[in-house]
Every structure is written in structure tokens, then in C-alpha cells.
Amino acid sequence: MEGTIKSKILDADGIRRAITRIAHEIVEKNKGTDRLVLVGIRRRGVPLAERIQQYIEEFEGVKVPLGILDITLYRDDLSTIDIHPVVHETDIPVSIEGKSVILVDDVLYTGRTARAALDATMDLGRPARIQLAVLVDRGHRELPIRADYVGKNLPTSRREIVAVRLQEVDMEEDVLLLEHEEDTVK
């Protein structure tokens, strides 16, 4: 982690409650599960989408199709990331034509990841609608993008970092607010 821990925003139970609430809101807003497709944005959006799928199946008895989206080549900062960026597979097991696609990510910040995910999704077909679900919305948008489903709204300063740690990726389960460590070397 890059920074000093200021506070723990959500523990494992808080994350579970937030994801359960998002799952219920998705079903309610879409008037059921018909024509829904969940798409997790790589990396931490994938396990969050899997959890939403699981909760919907538990209370609706329907397994909503789930896909994985890699937005690496759609990023507007690709040239600043690495000369040879690692591209992972995008795997959407069903057609998204005419479907309600729910993009799932961990943190909504500037909106640039969501914009890249929108572009990548549109290259796969023409859904009826695209909605965005995030665990944490921290503000500071640079693009006119907002989430349809939010687990936790967390106003932050630009000096702060929101670190989402999920068991499937990090072997820990929480959301932390970190203070960015300033470089002391001049």
C-alpha cells in the first residue's frame, strides 16, 4: 500500500452489506433479472461482480450471466503506464445486444476507468443500457460520469487514497483511507 492508514472505512461485514444492498437495488431498478448481464472490470471489479451474482442468485433463484472486462487498451493514460502493458482476456460469455449491462468496479474516482469500460463494452455490441455499480464513490470526477449503484459515498481529498482489499485478490477484506506519503527526497 502506498500511504499511511488514516482510517478503516469498511470491514468485511460492511463490504458484505454494501454488496448485498447493491444486488437488491440492481434487481429492483431493472424490475427483475431478465436481460441482465454483470460485467466486472478487471481487477477488483471481477470478485465484486461475482459476489453480486451470488447474492442475486440467493434471493432471486436466477444466475445472472457474468463477464470479465479488461480495459487496458482503452485507457487514455496507456502510454504513461508501461511500454509493454499487460493485457488480460475479456470474457463476456453471452451477447450483450439489447441487454442491461451492469459494469462493476471497486472505486469511482475521476471517471476515466468507467469511460474506458464504456468504450470497451460498446465495442462488444449494442446493449439496451449500461449501468455502473461501485463499492466506493470518492468524488473528484473529471468526466461527466456517475454510478447508478454505490456501496459507500466517501468524500476525499486528492491527497487521500482509497484502498479496497478483497479476499480473492489481497487475502484481506476491508476498505481503507490512506494519506498519500509525500516524497521527502529533494
Side-chain angles (χ1 to χ4, degrees):
M1 286 188 302
E2 303 173 17
T4 307
I5 297 174
K6 286 181 71 174
S7 62
K8 183 182 281 194
I9 304 304
L10 293 172
D11 59 11
D13 285 336
I15 292 172
R16 179 187 47 75
R17 283 190 295 274
I19 297 301
T20 302
R21 186 177 66 256
I22 289 170
H24 281 285
E25 289 174 0
I26 288 170
V27 171
E28 184 177 328
K29 185 172 185 174
N30 289 281
K31 298 177 176 47
T33 59
D34 190 41
R35 307 191 65 70
L36 279 183
V37 178
L38 295 167
V39 177
I41 299 172
R42 252 190 221 284
R43 180 122 196 253
R44 287 172 185 81
V46 174
L48 293 172
E50 290 168 344
R51 293 179 192 189
I52 291 170
Q53 179 192 46
Q54 176 188 347
Y55 291 136
I56 290 174
E57 186 175 8
E58 285 176 13
F59 58 77
E60 291 292 311
V62 175
K63 189 166 190 168
V64 174
L66 174 71
I68 298 171
L69 188 64
D70 183 356
I71 61 160
T72 303
L73 296 178
Y74 292 87
R75 293 177 58 115
D76 61 6
D77 63 350
L78 185 59
S79 63
T80 64
I81 294 173
D82 196 344
I83 295 171
H84 304 288
V86 177
V87 178
H88 298 279
E89 184 180 6
T90 288
D91 178 23
I92 313 289
V94 297
S95 169
I96 63 168
E97 294 289 327
K99 304 278 178 66
S100 293
V101 173
I102 314 297
L103 296 173
V104 182
D105 204 7
D106 57 347
V107 178
L108 179 57
Y109 181 31
T110 62
R112 293 183 181 277
T113 297
R115 188 221 34 97
L118 288 167
D119 290 347
T121 302
M122 295 305 290
D123 279 353
L124 297 171
R126 185 170 167 79
R129 70 189 51 82
I130 300 174
Q131 299 170 350
L132 178 61
V134 297
L135 181 59
V136 178
D137 183 344
R138 63 170 289 188
H140 302 286
R141 221 69 79 237
E142 294 174 1
L143 300 171
I145 290 176
R146 69 167 183 81
D148 299 276
Y149 313 100
V150 177
K152 177 80 173 170
N153 281 297
L154 181 64
T156 62
S157 76
R158 289 199 180 268
R159 292 178 34 110
E160 294 171 320
I161 299 165
V162 175
V164 174
R165 300 189 301 185
L166 300 175
Q167 195 64 42
E168 298 91 334
V169 177
D170 309 292
M171 305 307 154
E172 297 185 66
E173 186 86 6
D174 53 22
V175 176
L176 302 174
L177 183 62
L178 309 175
E179 184 73 34
H180 185 66
E181 293 178 357
E182 297 296 321
D183 292 334
T184 56
V185 179
K186 296 192 182 192

